Structures are given as structure tokens and as C-alpha cells.
Amino acid sequence: MSKITFKEEMKREKIQELETWKANPRRKPLLLMGARQVGKTWLMQEFGRMHYERTAYIRFDKDEELKQQFSTGGYNIPNLMTAIEARVGFKLQAGKHLIIFDEIQECPHALTSLKYFCEEAREHHIMAAGSLLGVHQHEGTGFPVGKVNMQTLYPLSFTEFLNAMGKEILCEQLKARNHQLISSFADTLTNMLRLYYYIGGMPEAVSSYLETQDFNEVRQVQDEILASYAADFSKHIPAALAAKVSMLWDSVPVQLAKENKRFIYKDVHKNVRAKDLEDALDWLLRAGLIYRVNRISKPALPINPYADGAFKVYFLDVGLLGAKTGIEAGVIIKGNTIFQEFKGALTEQYVQQQLRAECNVMPYYWLSESMRAEVDFLMEYHSTIVPIEVKAEQNLQAKSLKSYCNKHVPAVAVRCSMAPYFKQERLATTLIDLPLYAVCNITRECRDAIDEKQASNA
């Protein structure tokens, strides 16, 4: 693989959403959610550097004095503002300065104070972030329900990864859906996708590769991240629960390696019952380390009530999944081997990760009543349900998708594979073949197809 020219810094598309938040006169304090080490602190500080004269940065796990002030001083906002000013050493000016509360889960009173900042000092721009798990633990009477804007930060998406790798122009054309140009650069995009499968989107892993171009260094970073997550199991929860969390965490890659990737509790440990593992699953979900994709048997709107209790579990990041399974770096230079590894689990992991990060979609999956046909993902979008079949290679034989379309006749269906872009009409369904490296466009492709149908039927 040829040497790649890299940029020195990474861009996060979340910046655009933060700019919208800043410009909104009805903004509330912003609570930035996300798993540990996805880059929340960097994002907030970078946004402050870009858009404000100064930033007042408070980190509650390091500032005992201010933590004490929030914990014992009540919710007197003028007093709290004075305490912040005393800590940072300058007078806070609304609109010109950004206030950041980091690791806010370490000070529950600070989390609650966001309610009063919203009600009494909305002119000040305030961002807060912390452990997903820690924030969830304080949900209840002290959580500022309805008084904060909430956004979630994920690992770098594939398009963010492309920008980091110095492929900004190609990324722009990808998002512009310039299919002819994109097709001519398919080999380059495929190579980038191979890299992304291995490196993933954790900022430190991406930075390591940018600096060293050494896959061993990347794997060391990934292993350290996994080790830090494992350390959290014993640090933050009782020993009995920590043991179950660890077992379940180790089981996820094993379950994804199965032909039927449905999560089975008994496969975690033969001597542990399902009801004894539900709290462990909930802990990992709340920590943002795994994602649950629920199964539905009836594709109807709204989709959520039709979830039937079965589900699949995916990792936070495709690179971490590969590290957890021990996939060697050598697979990325062996043709399309990386797309075939692990029974297509890496490809499914990648697609569901992009659906969340790029498209803001919560995916489901479908199983027929006969249990003979299964569609990898369904998404509710633009007042319709879109089935999405995922293929690791160029094979377009999608029997399950065909079965679904014959029975439910969706307005649009999508096949994601290594085949080139193509759109065709099959009976009443618009079938879109979308290259895996173009998953970022899935919602826009579906929107256009649905709009075209509605216009033709008008």
C-alpha cells in the first residue's frame, strides 16, 4: 500500500452542530454525551478556541475546591459564577466566553446546576461533558430534564477518518454523491475503508497512525483503551457485577462471529442465567461501550413498539472490535480479506456504527416469521421503513432482502456491499446498491428516492 500524506489535525463534524447550538438564541446548556475517550474534551476545547475569545475550563475530577463550592453552596448562580471567575482568573462575559464543565459526573450538584443556569443565566454559553455511565447514574430528581440540549459524540466516522487522512476533496465528492468521480476512485476509497476497519475511529488510535504509520503502535493504543475500559469494571461497580460485566464484554465478539449474530445470554456462560446478566448488559449500554440492535418481526410505523425482545450487540468501534478479536494488521493488505474476516461481523459493525454517527439513525433488524430470512438492518426514515442488507464483498445475492421486499413492498431498499453504486426499480421498490464506503449517503439517497416516488404519484 502506498504511503499516504496526512493532515496534522482532525476535524470533527460535530463542530457544525455546536455552531448551530451557539447561534440559537434559545440555546440551553449543552450536555455532550459519549463513551470515554471518544474526544469530548478535545472537541469542547477546540470549539472554544475557534469561536470564543476565552474559555473557562473546569474539570470536576481535579478541582476539589470548586467541586465543594457547587456541592455546598446551593444553586445561587451569581455566587457560582463568581467562584468560576475566581478559579479561571477573568470576568466572564456572556457570548464572548465559553464555560466548560468537564467530568461533570464527579459533581452531581454541578449537573443539577445546569437547570438553574438555564433558567437564570441562559445568556452564558455553557457546555458540559462526562462519562456516559456517570451521567446516567444521576438520572432522576437531580437530572436537569428539559433544561439542557443533549448531543452525542461517537468515534470518528469514516468521512471524518478520510479527512484526517488528507482525503478532504475525495470526501467532499463522496458527500456530494458525485457517483462517476467516486467510482473512478473506488480503489482508493476501498483502501481507506480497509484502514478504517483496522484503525477504527477512536481519536488516539487515529492520531497514532497519523504520527507513526505503524499498525503495531495502533494496536497498542487500542489494547490500552480496552484495558482502561476493563479497569473501569472493577473501579466503578461491585465485584459481583464487575465479573458479569467482564464476561459479557468478552462474549460480544464471540457472539458476532456466529452465523446467527443474535445475542444469546446462555452463550456468555453456561452457568449464568439471562436475568442475572441483564444488569451487566445495562451497565455496558449505559457506559456507551456497546450498542443494542433490536429485532422486529413486523415492519410497521412507529417501529419501536414492534421490537420482540431479541437483539444483537455491537461494539462501540470497529477498530476496537478488531483489536478485541486479535485480527492481525496483515489482513488489510491482502485484497478484500478484511471484509470477509469474522463472518462479516466487521462489516456489520462498520455499517451500524456509521448509521448512528453519520446518519443519526437507530437501526433495528428483521426476521421473518418462518425464521428463514433475516435483513441485517432496518431504519425508520422519512415516514417509511427502509431495509438494509449488508454484504462484505461484491456478492449481490440478497435472498433475505428479496423476501422482505416481496412481502412488505418498501418504497426503497438498500444493499451495501463492495459493488458500485446503482439504482433500479423492482416492482414498486427502488433498490439502491450503495458501496460500503458511501454509507454516509444512505439517508439522502433514501430521501431522494422517496421524494421521487411521491412526486410521480402526485
Side-chain angles (χ1 to χ4, degrees), residues 326-343:
I327 293 178
E328 297 180 358
V331 300
I332 63 176
I333 58 174
K334 296 179 180 177
N336 285 333
T337 302
I338 193 167
F339 301 118
Q340 305 167 25
E341 285 290 328
F342 201 13
K343 297 189 185 301

Side-chain angles (χ1 to χ4, degrees), residues 60-61 102-108 111 129-131 133-135 138:
F60 283 105
D61 64 333
D102 205 358
E103 301 294 346
I104 197 170
Q105 81 282 349
E106 298 294 333
C107 183
L111 183 61
S131 159
L133 178 69
V135 171
H138 299 301

Side-chain angles (χ1 to χ4, degrees), residues 144-161:
V145 177
K147 302 298 182 179
V148 293
N149 299 130
M150 298 179 68
Q151 295 188 21
T152 301
L153 184 66
Y154 297 98
L156 271 74
S157 67
F158 179 58
T159 54
E160 289 176 320
F161 181 81

